[in-house]
Amino acid sequence: MARNLRSIAGRPAIITGAASGIGRSLARRLSGSGSPVAIADIDEAGLKDTARSLAGPVLVRVLDVRDAADQRRFAAEVREWLPSLPGRAPLAAVFNNAGVAVASSVLDADPGDDEWLRQINFDGVVNGTRAFLPILAGQDDGVIVNTSSVFGLVGMPYQSAYCASKFAVRGFTDALRQELRGTGVRAVTVHPGGIRTNIARNARIRKDPEGRDRTREQMAADFEAITMTTPDKAAGIICRGVDRGKARILVGPDAYVFDALARVAPTHYYDVMAILEKRLRARQEGSR
């Protein structure tokens, strides 16, 4: 375990993807615990909404995480911002959280959509890590928290690009963790299960990949019907996991199911998941 394990509460943090979902909830939770937060997102309107809901010091930055040079400029702005904060506390955490989705079969995949997703989900994490790691390494303290997914534990049909990006985040962060052994800096991978965010509604979908002729709205509703965790609850789980020194944080009861199935049925997990999903949908429909 890294040295100097301390709570991130009350200490400065960076959060990308903060205009909505888990990112917004992380910003609110940390700000509410006294942490100054630097929040970033490409969605300027959503980012301003998040900023207005925060109680403490906040640095707001419109940012496309795909742009490595702009990530470095953001890090330079944070370096200048930190000494102006009360107590001049060192940077506690960097949450590389921004992410998007694509739904398509491999056969019908649009290469442009897959590249757009890869640049945000994986390159965005790499760019953020490389931009802010020098700050953490220089102070020999802090944590990089990279958001993967349960789809970074198992492969799922019609999610090849998303799974590839989230497996890549997992591998990148695991390798970084080993490089940081013996230092005061840690690397954490987060694997959320189904979270009630707008990711499905904002996904790029050309047609129903399952051939059921569902509209975008219907597909988003189907996803949301089986989500089990709110963004606020997810943020709490993540912050507690970071404070406890966890290297991997599973978010939501479904995340534990995915993790267990990946271990005990590495080639047949989808058959089990299909049965569980069918039962969950039936239970939810019966309770309406």
Side-chain angles (χ1 to χ4, degrees):
M1 184 177 293
R3 294 176 283 116
N4 304 322
L5 183 62
R6 294 188 288 163
S7 172
I8 58 176
R11 302 164 61 206
I14 313 299
I15 306 159
T16 67
S20 63
I22 294 175
R24 173 176 284 179
S25 291
L26 281 168
R28 288 174 172 171
R29 182 180 182 87
L30 289 168
S31 181
S33 69
S35 293
V37 292
I39 57 173
D41 203 295
I42 199 169
D43 176 2
E44 184 174 6
L47 194 61
K48 289 180 177 179
D49 285 344
T50 299
R52 282 191 289 268
S53 71
L54 303 181
V58 57
L59 174 66
V60 179
R61 181 60 147 78
V62 177
L63 175 72
D64 184 342
V65 297
R66 297 174 293 180
D67 188 334
D70 205 28
Q71 289 256 36
R72 291 192 296 272
R73 286 190 288 270
F74 179 34
E77 292 170 16
V78 169
R79 279 186 184 273
E80 295 180 358
W81 174 67
L82 289 171
S84 71
L85 298 173
R88 301 171 62 91
L91 181 60
V94 178
F95 293 88
N96 290 308
N97 172 72
V100 294
V102 167
S104 173
S105 67
V106 173
L107 183 64
D108 295 327
D110 182 300
D113 289 348
D114 286 3
E115 180 67 4
W116 167 76
L117 178 145
R118 182 192 63 78
Q119 289 179 344
I120 295 171
N121 288 9
F122 179 57
D123 291 351
V125 167
V126 174
N127 293 339
T129 299
R130 288 176 173 167
F132 287 98
L133 186 58
I135 297 177
L136 301 182
Q139 63 191 32
D140 196 30
D141 184 26
V143 56
I144 295 280
V145 186
N146 293 337
T147 301
S148 178
S149 167
V150 290
F151 287 6
L153 300 173
V154 298
M156 298 294 285
Y158 315 118
Q159 294 291 329
S160 58
Y162 189 81
C163 288
S165 72
K166 294 303 187 177
F167 268 83
V169 169
R170 174 187 171 188
F172 173 79
T173 310
D174 284 356
L176 174 63
R177 182 179 306 118
Q178 304 312 319
E179 292 181 16
L180 295 173
R181 286 167 61 90
T183 76
V185 183
R186 296 182 289 134
V188 177
T189 312
V190 177
H191 294 280
I195 312 296
R196 294 170 202 154
T197 70
N198 291 325
I199 191 167
R201 295 185 181 275
N202 295 332
R204 288 192 179 182
I205 305 171
R206 304 289 176 173
K207 64 179 182 179
D208 184 349
E210 296 183 35
R212 295 160 54 192
D213 295 324
R214 293 171 297 171
T215 64
R216 173 189 292 272
E217 178 68 23
Q218 288 170 329
M219 284 186 281
D222 283 350
F223 169 77
E224 290 165 2
I226 59 172
T227 56
M228 305 182 75
T229 307
T230 66
D232 287 348
K233 188 170 183 178
I237 293 169
I238 293 167
C239 289
R240 287 191 296 273
V242 171
D243 282 350
R244 293 169 183 169
K246 288 188 175 181
R248 187 180 68 152
I249 301 171
L250 300 174
V251 181
D254 47 343
Y256 285 88
V257 173
F258 273 75
D259 184 50
L261 288 174
R263 296 169 187 268
V264 302
T267 60
H268 299 287
Y269 52 80
Y270 188 71
D271 295 331
V272 180
M273 288 178 185
I275 295 171
L276 294 175
E277 180 180 345
K278 184 177 180 180
R279 290 179 178 175
L280 178 59
R281 289 186 187 279
R283 182 182 303 172
Q284 290 173 333
E285 290 174 0
S287 64
R288 291 174 184 171

